[in-house]
Amino acid sequence: MLLGGDKLKQLLGRKNILLLVLLISVIGFGIRHSLKEPAPVTQIENVRVLESVRSPYFLPQYLAFNLGYFKEQDLSVSITTTSQEAIRAALSDGRTDIALCGLQKILFNPAAKGPQPKLFATLARQDGSFLLARKDADNFQWKNLKDKSIIGGSEDDSSEIALEEALRQQGQTPNRSVTIYHNIPDTLRLGAFRAGTGNYIQLLEPAASLAESKDYGRVAASVGITTGDMVVTAYAAQPGYIESKAAVIQRFTNAIYKAQLWLGQHSSEEAAEVVAPLFTNVDRQVLIKSIERYRTLGVWSSDPLIPRQSYDKFQAAAKEAGEITSPTPYETVVMNEFAQQAIQTVIYVKEEPKPKKNLFQRVFQ
């Protein structure tokens, strides 16, 4: 049956009213539902980190901090520098959540109390210390260290273990054919060298580049290059913290890995600009030189994984140095699952600088 014009208009009007009522009902339900169940808000987690030294050796950590990668992971991270002895004690009694320092102090400290910490990420493939000579070091050879002396760190310091391993690899016998001064406090070591003590001094960056800038000495050799890949520092936390805060450890590792990716795609000058606020007492050119030296030597890791071979190599060196009596199995202390997850999920794409607009573009675009 055909409908007349008036009836057709009435029918269409009724349909429109029904559609309008249905639309209002749907919108109202959505509003009520959103009011009853607000979107979940990720909780910001506070993370306390203690580091053993403020050095470009730990550069990825500072990049993650100043580039906002920790904040991206909903972490409020505080970084404090203190002695390695204090770090191990702070881990034991809960005054820090995460520690970044030498493996010797974290794992093989016989005076430490409480459960043994676990390692979950690393920043560097090898030791970051250098030997500085008093004069031009262009013709340096390790064999010429015979009957010479070196101002080093404490005997149980991880970099000191790396130095002794380098000496042994080059045919020297630490503390026999070469004398190493272990008893000079860190704050007095460079002053003692300037005053005439020792033929060489062992320094990290930026102290090495700073000493060169002041003509106190010249870098003669890299300890890490001589020993090869050997993890000497790592991030550690107590087993209880890792178990209860696994998501925090994962987010922390994600931020570190993103910083490592960033570092692989940016220059030393760009990196220095980012981290300069954390090195207020270091001249910008000295900071750039420090970063470039580490970059050229390939000191930093491209990811947070702790390789078994690298870990075992450090243990063997520590045992040879007389600092440990029995090894700690890799499987019992290293937890690479957080680093593996970060590698699988975290990406970084470098943003290309946008071209500057000319006057016409600024006005009409």
Side-chain angles (χ1 to χ4, degrees):
M1 180 200 302
L2 295 177
L3 294 175
D6 292 339
K7 290 184 177 181
L8 180 60
K9 288 179 181 180
Q10 290 176 1
L11 182 59
L12 290 176
R14 290 171 185 169
K15 286 184 177 181
N16 287 338
I17 292 173
L18 288 173
L19 287 173
L20 181 60
V21 171
L22 179 61
L23 180 60
I24 293 173
S25 299
V26 170
I27 294 174
F29 175 81
I31 292 174
R32 290 194 303 273
H33 183 72
S34 63
L35 289 175
K36 289 180 180 179
E37 299 182 16
V41 178
T42 304
Q43 181 180 357
I44 303 297
E45 292 278 356
N46 296 317
V47 180
R48 301 165 298 173
V49 178
L50 286 183
E51 61 176 9
S52 57
V53 65
R54 179 59 52 91
S55 167
Y57 186 53
F58 296 154
L59 182 63
Q61 174 176 261
Y62 310 134
L63 291 173
F65 188 85
N66 277 5
L67 288 169
Y69 294 162
F70 289 130
K71 290 184 178 179
E72 284 182 3
Q73 296 290 326
D74 296 310
L75 300 177
S76 176
V77 174
S78 63
I79 303 173
T80 306
T81 309
T82 188
S83 69
Q84 297 192 70
E85 291 76 10
I87 287 176
R88 184 62 178 90
L91 265 180
S92 298
D93 60 26
R95 285 180 290 114
T96 190
D97 302 313
I98 294 173
L100 176 60
C101 75
L103 300 194
Q104 179 62 23
K105 295 294 186 181
I106 295 176
L107 295 181
F108 312 121
N109 190 339
K113 300 178 181 178
Q116 188 175 62
K118 303 286 188 180
L119 309 178
F120 65 88
T122 190
L123 301 177
R125 299 166 49 213
Q126 55 198 219
D127 181 68
S129 66
F130 301 91
L131 278 189
L132 272 73
R134 294 187 180 283
K135 299 179 182 179
D136 188 12
D138 290 342
N139 298 319
F140 174 83
Q141 296 184 42
W142 286 90
K143 65 180 182 180
N144 294 335
L145 286 176
K146 182 175 174 58
D147 298 326
K148 298 295 193 298
S149 59
I150 302 171
I151 297 179
S154 63
E155 288 184 276
D156 59 352
D157 181 81
S158 295
S159 284
E160 194 63 23
I161 292 171
L163 172 61
E164 293 190 16
E165 174 66 14
L167 289 169
R168 284 191 294 269
Q169 287 184 11
Q170 298 299 317
Q172 302 291 348
T173 305
N175 299 310
R176 290 187 181 178
S177 62
V178 181
T179 300
I180 305 177
Y181 299 122
H182 300 294
N183 58 347
I184 302 176
D186 287 345
T187 55
L188 302 178
R189 291 168 69 239
L190 188 56
F193 183 67
R194 291 180 60 197
T197 301
N199 302 108
Y200 298 87
I201 185 172
Q202 182 185 16
L203 295 174
L204 286 170
E205 292 288 8
S209 291
L210 179 62
E212 285 188 320
S213 71
K214 294 182 177 297
D215 203 29
Y216 298 159
R218 290 287 179 268
V219 169
S222 162
V223 173
I225 288 297
T226 305
T227 63
D229 285 1
M230 182 172 74
V231 60
V232 299
T233 61
Y235 282 110
Q238 290 285 37
Y241 183 85
I242 294 176
E243 182 178 353
S244 62
K245 298 284 188 178
V248 172
I249 295 292
Q250 186 61 67
R251 283 145 57 185
F252 186 92
T253 309
N254 291 347
I256 291 297
Y257 180 50
K258 188 171 183 180
Q260 290 172 320
L261 294 175
W262 186 97
L263 183 56
Q265 299 185 45
H266 290 80
S267 68
S268 299
E269 290 79 7
E270 290 173 308
E273 182 177 357
V274 171
V275 303
L278 298 174
F279 291 88
T280 55
N281 296 325
V282 179
D283 177 79
R284 180 64 64 89
Q285 292 306 311
V286 169
L287 183 58
I288 292 172
K289 183 178 180 180
S290 299
I291 293 172
E292 183 61 25
R293 177 172 276 150
Y294 278 146
R295 181 193 297 276
T296 301
L297 295 175
V299 166
W300 296 303
S301 300
S302 59
D303 58 56
L305 288 170
I306 302 173
R308 175 189 294 272
Q309 184 177 1
S310 181
Y311 172 84
D312 289 342
K313 186 175 182 179
F314 176 81
Q315 277 209 114
K319 186 175 181 180
E320 186 70 23
E323 296 302 325
I324 61 172
T325 56
S326 59
T328 302
Y330 178 86
E331 294 83 0
T332 64
V333 294
V334 176
M335 302 181 69
N336 269 332
E337 51 263 44
F338 300 105
Q340 291 166 346
Q341 178 67 17
I343 293 170
Q344 293 172 6
T345 58
V346 176
I347 60 172
Y348 170 76
V349 179
K350 183 179 180 180
E351 293 184 6
E352 297 298 332
K354 296 180 180 179
K356 293 184 178 180
K357 295 182 179 181
N358 57 36
L359 179 60
F360 180 84
Q361 291 172 322
R362 290 198 299 270
V363 172
F364 295 100
Q365 290 186 358

